Amino acid sequence: MIVLSCSYVSKSYVVDNIIENISFSVNDNEKIGLIGLNGAGKTTLFNILTGSLEPDSGEIYRVKSKKLGYLKQNTKIDSNMSIMDEMLTIFNDVIKIEEELSLLSNKISNFTENDNKSELESLMHTYAKLSEQFEESDGYGFKSLIRGVLKGLGFSENEFNKPVNLLSGGQKSRVMLAKLLLEKADILLLDEPTNHLDIDAISWLEKYIKSFGGAAIIISHDRYFLDNTVDRILLLENKKLSSYNGNYTDFMKKRKQELELKMKQYDEYEKEIEKQEEMIRRLHAYGSKRNIRQAFSRQKALDKIKKMDKPQTDSKKVKLHFIPKVKSGRDVLKVENLSVSYNEYNVFKNVNMNIYKGDRAGIIGPNGIGKSTLLKVISNKLNKFNGSISTGHYVNIGYYDQEQTSLDDENTVIDEIWDCNPDLNYYDVRTMLAQFLFTGDDLYKIIGELSGGEKSRLSLLKLMTSNANFLLMDEPTNHLDIDSKEMLEDALLNYEGTVLVVSHDRYFLNKIANNIYDMSSEGVFQYLGNYDYYLQKKAELEEDDDEIIEAKTKTQINAEKKKEREQIRDRQRREKSIKKLEEMIEMHENKILELELALCQPSTYDDKVLVMNLNEKINILKNELEQYYDEWTEILDKK
């Protein structure tokens, strides 16, 4: 069933056409990824779909009964309420019903035998109707639902009472995402929903979207996220929209085949044009009237052939090898027992790392664990730490921190790179800039006028062509669109130096990393492979892989066997507790329903004591039910 459609929609600003004759439809329960370069018109299309922007032409259709929820990329929220109170505003209607039920319960309890029986009957009828409405609105479980969503998006219990206005920009974005998910829309429009989320929170969101019963259109540069959530890709390119079935990786395979076919067709077109032009030149050269007539006839036919533009495939995919000006020794970095604390707060401890020449190591871990702090310590930008850090022979560190502080805003793009590499010729500099998607007039743009993504790309190129041979990179794919991310991946894969990168971009890590450091407050654990390898080995370790156990000492084996038995017992206890709680929840819900039905019986009205007793029992059961829901959610979160 189609729940949303767009027919021949166009939009322009002044003289610039943004989108032209776009058409597509969305089925119920379908998950779609919307991709395209920055500035292609993706957010414009979302604004048209929500009705906040009128198209110049075309029609938008949405099933009236379907509620639409929209998460903007840059959402502002101004609230003096706590995070929890902000979430509770979504359930104002449910809370009002709860309050009304409480008032009705008190009124019913205070009725005497001499009071108006018809009024009591009316109150009982209203109470029964509201109780049914309260249950249908998940009145018994909404507080547990709020806790589950907030925890899933990375908020801890002790942050629930924190005022929203005191939160960082990233935390506020997570609050808005939580509100949107709790509003239970039927169609979700999500613009970069993974921004400001760590890997654990992104994984939780992936599971949420996969199990979401409605439709979703997602704008995202997180390719791993798209692979795990969508079953169709819409590509917005050159003002047009193309549709591809499958996830992002499927799209890339089809896109590559499509571009190869277009290139082949273009080559055939070029050969045919060249053949016809050569024939026309020969006929003119023969000089006879008959030949000239034939030449004009062929020229006329040639002019009618539809002109084919060259596909934009390899013009921005120049393969370059970035070779550091100075080569380091084999040992690049050694970190031993490193810890960082602020006052009495311990950021991280027990960090041990060995980085060797040619390594492309990725650091992952939850937000706030100290990943960026670790890079600052290694790059000598932070001197307060315990432990030891040593670099090898001829190691020159280059640091990318997203702030682009090394760029001169007065310079042009080409001068910024050429000034740092005066030994290169004009062609070499242009070729390097083309690899980083700077072509044509882009080369002469003033840096101060560049977008955030363009500055990021230029900073990365400047870093890779500097004297550095050991690159420290903090979230280098932030602010980059998909083409720019692929450009960076290709550049790093062809870089002959060493790279240590902090990133939450799992697709990026999967492609470039040859080892992963998983960071926690207790230290780091190394996995000798890319991100998928890390997931695989982590799962094996959590299952206590037999091969790993055999390689350990008898004491370690006994200790881990004991720990394993404890884990099994804990798991059994948890499962037993869950089962018992689910039975108690079901029993309480049935008992509440039974008592409410009894309360609504006409024979009950004459017995004031009975009415009071029933109300009291219902209230006790409801309080107990809410506690059971909280306990049930808490145990599930720990699984």
Side-chain angles (χ1 to χ4, degrees):
M1 172 183 151
I2 294 174
V3 293
L4 179 68
S5 68
C6 192
S7 300
Y8 303 104
V9 167
S10 298
K11 182 64 184 177
S12 61
Y13 293 108
V14 192
V15 294
D16 293 330
N17 289 339
I18 306 300
I19 51 178
E20 293 179 352
N21 294 324
I22 281 178
S23 296
F24 68 93
S25 60
V26 182
N27 292 314
D28 198 12
N29 203 32
E30 192 174 17
K31 312 299 186 295
I32 297 171
L34 176 60
I35 65 173
L37 295 175
N38 289 340
K42 302 186 295 294
T43 302
T44 297
L45 179 57
F46 266 18
N47 287 330
I48 290 172
L49 293 176
T50 59
S52 60
L53 189 65
E54 285 292 325
D56 296 334
S57 61
E59 293 181 353
I60 304 296
Y61 164 79
R62 187 174 91 233
V63 176
K64 288 182 180 179
S65 62
K66 298 294 182 181
K67 181 181 176 183
L68 190 144
Y70 178 28
L71 177 75
K72 295 182 179 180
Q73 185 176 349
N74 298 308
T75 304
K76 293 182 180 178
I77 179 172
D78 184 21
S79 173
N80 292 316
M81 289 190 283
S82 69
I83 295 174
M84 177 56 79
D85 288 341
E86 189 66 37
M87 296 300 111
L88 289 172
T89 60
I90 300 161
F91 298 94
N92 277 338
D93 291 342
V94 182
I95 293 168
K96 282 179 183 176
I97 294 172
E98 192 173 32
E99 290 170 353
E100 286 178 34
L101 284 171
S102 180
L103 288 171
L104 283 170
S105 177
N106 288 331
K107 282 184 180 179
I108 292 167
S109 300
N110 291 327
F111 258 77
T112 64
E113 294 178 7
N114 299 322
D115 288 331
N116 190 326
K117 288 184 180 180
S118 62
E119 186 182 347
L120 178 59
E121 187 175 341
S122 174
L123 288 172
M124 300 288 274
H125 177 73
T126 305
Y127 186 92
K129 192 175 180 181
L130 283 175
S131 293
E132 187 179 340
Q133 194 178 337
F134 185 69
E135 193 168 348
E136 286 174 357
S137 305
D138 199 16
Y140 299 119
F142 73 91
K143 289 179 183 176
S144 298
L145 182 63
I146 290 172
R147 290 190 184 94
V149 170
L150 288 176
K151 286 180 180 178
L153 293 176
F155 289 106
S156 61
E157 286 269 8
N158 57 14
E159 290 178 308
F160 288 179
N161 293 320
K162 196 172 182 180
V164 172
N165 278 345
L166 297 181
L167 301 178
S168 66
Q171 288 173 317
K172 287 181 178 179
S173 295
R174 282 190 279 144
V175 166
M176 293 305 295
L177 176 56
K179 286 188 72 173
L180 179 66
L181 298 181
L182 289 166
E183 282 171 359
K184 295 186 177 179
D186 302 294
I187 305 168
L188 293 177
L189 302 182
L190 306 176
D191 194 346
E192 296 294 351
T194 61
N195 282 1
H196 314 295
L197 299 183
D198 61 24
I199 288 176
D200 286 343
I202 293 172
S203 298
W204 179 89
L205 184 59
E206 284 172 355
K207 291 171 188 172
Y208 182 94
I209 289 173
K210 280 192 277 191
S211 63
F212 174 59
I217 307 177
I218 304 164
I219 296 173
S220 182
H221 291 145
D222 188 332
R223 297 157 293 171
Y224 206 94
F225 179 77
L226 290 173
D227 267 355
N228 287 338
T229 54
V230 306
D231 39 47
R232 183 151 66 105
I233 293 288
L234 296 178
L235 172 65
L236 193 52
E237 185 179 50
N238 298 324
K239 305 163 193 174
K240 305 293 183 184
L241 196 73
S242 305
S243 177
Y244 299 82
N245 290 329
N247 62 14
Y248 177 80
T249 298
D250 296 330
F251 153 75
M252 283 301 295
K253 289 175 185 174
K254 292 172 186 174
R255 178 75 169 157
K256 185 180 179 183
Q257 292 169 356
E258 188 180 85
L259 290 173
E260 285 173 353
L261 178 61
K262 285 183 179 178
M263 200 65 199
K264 185 179 178 181
Q265 291 171 342
Y266 179 78
D267 289 340
E268 290 172 355
Y269 162 81
E270 286 279 277
K271 286 176 186 175
E272 181 62 26
I273 296 295
E274 190 177 335
K275 177 183 171 184
Q276 292 300 326
E277 287 176 342
E278 177 62 26
M279 185 64 73
I280 290 166
R281 280 195 296 271
R282 286 183 184 178
L283 289 169
H284 275 297
Y286 293 150
S288 70
K289 288 183 179 179
R290 182 169 175 270
N291 293 138
I292 290 171
R293 279 199 304 272
Q294 285 180 334
F296 276 113
S297 178
R298 282 183 176 271
Q299 184 64 55
K300 193 173 180 181
L302 183 62
D303 291 340
K304 289 182 179 179
I305 294 175
K306 187 177 179 182
K307 188 176 183 303
M308 183 180 286
D309 294 324
K310 184 176 180 179
Q312 295 180 353
T313 52
D314 50 13
S315 61
K316 295 181 179 180
K317 293 287 183 182
V318 184
K319 295 293 180 187
L320 294 177
H321 276 80
F322 289 92
I323 304 171
K325 295 172 184 177
V326 178
K327 292 187 177 181
S328 71
R330 179 179 175 275
D331 296 324
V332 173
L333 176 72
K334 188 177 184 67
V335 177
E336 293 183 294
N337 299 321
L338 185 68
S339 64
V340 172
S341 300
Y342 292 115
N343 298 323
E344 295 181 359
Y345 173 68
N346 186 59
V347 180
F348 61 77
K349 61 184 178 181
N350 299 330
V351 170
N352 294 279
M353 304 172 75
N354 285 296
I355 304 292
Y356 301 102
K357 182 182 176 182
D359 277 355
R360 296 189 301 273
I363 303 175
I364 63 172
N367 287 343
I369 205 66
K371 302 184 295 294
S372 297
T373 302
L374 176 59
L375 288 194
K376 287 176 182 175
V377 171
I378 295 170
S379 63
N380 204 29
K381 294 185 180 296
L382 186 63
N383 298 316
K384 293 183 178 180
F385 62 88
N386 293 314
S388 67
I389 298 174
S390 59
T391 53
H393 295 298
Y394 308 114
V395 171
N396 295 323
I397 292 176
Y399 179 59
Y400 174 84
D401 65 351
Q402 303 183 56
E403 300 299 325
Q404 296 95 34
T405 51
S406 64
L407 298 178
D408 183 352
D409 283 348
E410 303 299 320
N411 250 343
T412 62
V413 168
I414 191 167
D415 286 340
E416 187 71 16
I417 300 302
W418 213 347
D419 288 349
C420 298
N421 300 274
D423 52 321
L424 297 178
N425 61 40
Y426 177 72
Y427 174 77
D428 290 336
V429 177
R430 280 186 66 104
T431 304
M432 284 184 175
L433 285 165
Q435 167 70 357
F436 278 67
L437 310 186
F438 291 102
T439 57
D441 293 338
D442 294 341
L443 276 62
Y444 305 101
K445 284 182 178 178
I446 302 299
I447 289 172
E449 297 173 0
L450 297 180
S451 68
E454 288 171 326
K455 285 184 177 181
S456 294
R457 281 190 271 125
L458 191 60
S459 293
L460 290 164
L461 175 58
K462 188 174 178 180
L463 179 64
M464 295 184 74
T465 55
S466 68
N467 291 321
N469 51 30
F470 180 30
L471 307 184
L472 303 179
M473 311 175 86
D474 192 359
E475 299 289 1
T477 60
N478 278 7
H479 313 299
L480 297 184
D481 56 36
I482 287 176
D483 277 7
S484 300
K485 289 179 181 183
E486 291 178 356
M487 163 278 301
L488 175 59
E489 288 159 2
D490 289 341
L492 289 176
L493 288 170
N494 290 301
Y495 179 62
E496 294 189 10
T498 306
V499 179
L500 180 62
V501 56
V502 167
S503 181
H504 68 273
D505 187 334
R506 297 161 296 168
Y507 199 99
F508 170 76
L509 290 172
N510 217 31
K511 195 168 178 181
I512 68 105
N514 52 28
N515 62 96
I516 298 286
Y517 284 97
D518 187 7
M519 189 169 178
S520 70
S521 58
E522 298 301 315
V524 294
F525 194 94
Q526 186 181 20
Y527 297 82
L528 299 175
N530 63 5
Y531 186 78
D532 278 348
Y533 177 85
Y534 151 76
L535 289 178
Q536 176 191 336
K537 296 308 290 184
K538 189 177 180 184
E540 288 176 5
L541 286 170
E542 286 174 352
E543 292 172 2
D544 290 320
D545 185 80
D546 291 339
E547 293 178 10
I548 296 172
I549 290 173
E550 285 173 10
K552 294 176 181 176
T553 66
K554 201 175 270 187
T555 305
Q556 286 175 312
I557 292 170
N558 290 334
E560 292 195 6
K561 280 184 177 178
K562 184 181 177 183
K563 186 178 179 181
E564 184 182 2
R565 287 194 296 270
E566 288 173 356
Q567 287 176 341
I568 291 169
R569 282 197 293 269
D570 284 343
R571 187 164 61 247
Q572 289 172 340
R573 280 196 291 267
R574 281 199 304 272
E575 288 172 358
K576 191 175 179 181
S577 296
I578 289 170
K579 188 177 179 182
K580 187 176 179 181
L581 283 168
E582 287 175 346
E583 289 173 355
M584 294 301 291
I585 287 169
E586 185 180 3
M587 186 182 77
H588 273 62
E589 286 178 342
N590 291 335
K591 190 65 178 174
I592 289 168
L593 183 61
E594 182 185 324
L595 291 173
E596 286 176 342
L597 287 171
L599 194 61
C600 296
Q601 295 301 315
S603 58
T604 308
Y605 303 163
D606 298 328
D607 193 337
K608 182 188 174 185
V609 176
L610 178 58
V611 169
M612 289 176 65
N613 287 338
L614 287 173
N615 270 301
E616 188 179 350
K617 286 179 181 178
I618 288 170
N619 289 331
I620 290 170
L621 286 168
K622 283 181 177 178
N623 289 331
E624 289 175 354
L625 179 60
E626 189 171 340
Q627 288 174 11
Y628 288 137
Y629 266 117
D630 289 343
E631 289 175 34
W632 181 71
T633 305
E634 192 176 337
I635 293 173
L636 284 180
D637 287 339
K638 290 178 180 178
K639 284 188 75 175

